[in-house]
Amino acid sequence: MFQTEPILYLQSLGTEWFTFLMVLITSMGSPAFFAGIIIITAFGIDFKKGFLLFQLLLWTALITEVFKVMIAFPRPDFVDRRVINLEDGIKNTTPFNGSGESGFFKLPDREVLKAFRLQEIFPDSPFGLPSGHVALTTALWGGTSSIFNSRTISRLAPAVVLLIAFSRIYLGRHFLGDVLGGAALGLIILIIFTRFLKSPLKDDFFKKENFEPVFRQKNLFFYSIMFLIPFLLTALYLISGEVAGYFLGTNAAYLLIMHKGLPEDTGDMWQRATRVFIALMLFGVSALVLDTGFDTTNTASYLGVTFIEFLKSFIPAFTIWISVSICMKLNLYGRDGVKEYAK
């Protein structure tokens, strides 16, 4: 489960082209890929279903990060200097050599864990268990299958999860135990999500009155799960600024959209394609501008890395509201959509 030998064996068989393929496959578990899928679903197919998927991914990312921080297990390249981080191409500088466990079910070495947890400054994404890529992929494909009741997607889902899991091991980013933990966590969250889809809460989530600033039980419940909980977890350093930004930015955009009323999923193929294009462009351009701007202006010294991570995800997520507003102005939802949005 936490042995480095399987990883070393796979990497010894790898080629430049195979590594490129694995990096391409593992990118299917990245925030950019998930955002693209969600935007295509919400703006091109069904806004409510797309937003439900977005909430599923946000909660999966949040819970995964909480578990990562609480468990605090290192990645393979910290345990063994022979393991190469093929995804990022970062040189391995760990002092440990061949410290992977000899027994299949044994946990990482105590000396390694102690040295890892005593670090004052952690690198980006330092924690291994559970694998976020695998947990999110399990949730996305399983959730899509449940929302659209698609047998085709349900048959493809296990193959996609296995490919992502294999790529994470080969690239030296996770142990076998990490990807199994990610799959288990993703399945548990998926089971809870499917129960949510069958409960009255799903319909309540799309009622405007439940998001008005009043002291009602349901209003307080939705405001708590959409804003208070991620804020508290961020303050306790249990989730990253990136996850908090996506969570709060998406939900802030949702509140503004609810204020006008959810748009209907009307419009022909050209209108739907144009809506998707606008949303993807706003999301992608804003993310690119922020990445480039913060990287070239050296603002981390006075703004803080966490706050910059927050802004780099909050603002692109918030463009969902801007995209809906633009599409309405351009009449890309058809007359029925405009009337619904203006109620």
Side-chain angles (χ1 to χ4, degrees):
M1 298 271 278
F2 297 97
Q3 295 171 314
T4 58
E5 281 72 17
I7 302 172
L8 294 170
Y9 175 73
L10 290 175
Q11 290 189 345
S12 70
L13 299 176
T15 63
E16 185 177 343
W17 282 105
F18 187 72
T19 300
F20 173 78
L21 177 62
M22 289 296 103
V23 170
L24 191 64
I25 289 173
T26 211
S27 66
M28 294 172 61
S30 66
F33 179 83
F34 293 136
I37 294 295
I38 296 301
I39 287 172
I40 291 170
T41 303
F43 286 86
I45 303 174
D46 189 304
F47 187 86
K48 290 182 178 180
K49 291 180 179 180
F51 206 82
L52 285 174
L53 280 178
F54 214 156
Q55 289 296 314
L56 171 62
L57 291 179
L58 290 171
W59 273 100
T60 303
L62 184 145
I63 295 170
T64 301
E65 286 223 342
V66 170
F67 272 99
K68 279 179 179 284
V69 173
M70 293 180 66
I71 296 171
F73 275 14
R75 292 182 184 266
D77 55 351
F78 183 88
V79 174
D80 193 337
R81 72 176 63 172
R82 296 173 297 172
V83 176
I84 305 172
N85 179 352
L86 294 174
E87 181 183 20
D88 301 318
I90 300 173
K91 185 178 180 180
N92 194 330
T93 59
T94 182
F96 299 102
N97 186 27
S99 297
E101 288 307 305
S102 56
F104 183 79
F105 292 104
K106 288 186 178 180
L107 297 177
D109 185 82
R110 290 185 179 180
E111 181 183 354
V112 175
L113 287 177
K114 183 178 180 181
F116 176 71
R117 292 167 179 172
L118 286 176
Q119 292 182 98
E120 293 184 1
I121 301 176
F122 283 102
D124 293 337
S125 302
F127 303 114
L129 179 66
S131 167
H133 276 66
V134 175
L136 287 164
T137 301
T138 303
L140 173 67
W141 289 85
T144 304
S145 173
S146 297
I147 285 179
F148 289 99
N149 194 25
S150 171
R151 290 186 178 180
T152 302
I153 297 176
S154 65
R155 290 169 182 169
L156 287 174
V160 177
V161 173
L162 285 173
L163 277 175
I164 294 291
F166 179 82
S167 72
R168 301 308 287 165
I169 295 174
Y170 169 79
L171 294 171
R173 303 303 289 142
H174 283 294
F175 292 104
L176 175 62
D178 298 341
V179 299
L180 291 177
L185 181 60
L187 282 173
I188 292 171
I189 296 172
L190 186 58
I191 291 171
I192 297 172
F193 179 70
T194 54
R195 289 181 178 272
F196 165 78
L197 292 178
K198 298 176 182 179
S199 73
L201 276 177
K202 187 197 79 169
D203 296 326
D204 291 337
F205 188 70
F206 296 107
K207 292 179 180 179
K208 183 178 179 179
E209 61 268 22
N210 291 330
F211 292 92
E212 295 174 351
V214 295
F215 288 95
R216 292 175 59 242
Q217 184 176 358
K218 285 185 179 179
N219 297 61
L220 293 174
F221 170 75
F222 283 118
Y223 273 102
S224 296
I225 64 171
M226 294 177 73
F227 296 99
L228 181 60
I229 291 177
F231 177 79
L232 291 176
L233 291 176
T234 306
L236 294 171
Y237 299 100
L238 290 175
I239 61 174
S240 66
E242 180 185 26
V243 170
Y246 278 122
F247 211 110
L248 295 173
T250 301
N251 290 333
Y254 183 69
L255 277 185
L256 291 175
I257 293 171
M258 286 292 291
H259 178 69
K260 287 287 188 178
L262 293 176
E264 291 292 326
D265 296 295
T266 55
D268 54 29
M269 288 296 295
W270 180 87
Q271 290 174 314
R272 291 174 184 270
T274 306
R275 295 194 315 242
V276 170
F277 175 77
I278 290 172
L280 286 175
M281 284 296 295
L282 283 175
F283 184 93
V285 170
S286 63
L288 180 63
V289 169
L290 289 168
D291 275 337
T292 305
F294 283 124
D295 289 344
T296 56
T297 56
N298 193 26
T299 54
S301 57
Y302 55 88
L303 287 180
V305 175
T306 301
F307 185 62
I308 290 176
E309 286 182 349
F310 175 83
L311 290 178
K312 288 167 68 173
S313 54
F314 178 90
I315 294 174
F318 190 72
T319 61
I320 294 173
W321 168 65
I322 301 173
S323 298
V324 170
S325 299
I326 292 175
C327 290
M328 285 298 172
K329 294 291 184 181
L330 297 177
N331 197 28
L332 293 175
Y333 279 99
R335 293 181 179 179
D336 294 336
V338 173
K339 291 178 181 178
E340 178 66 21
Y341 189 71
K343 284 182 181 179

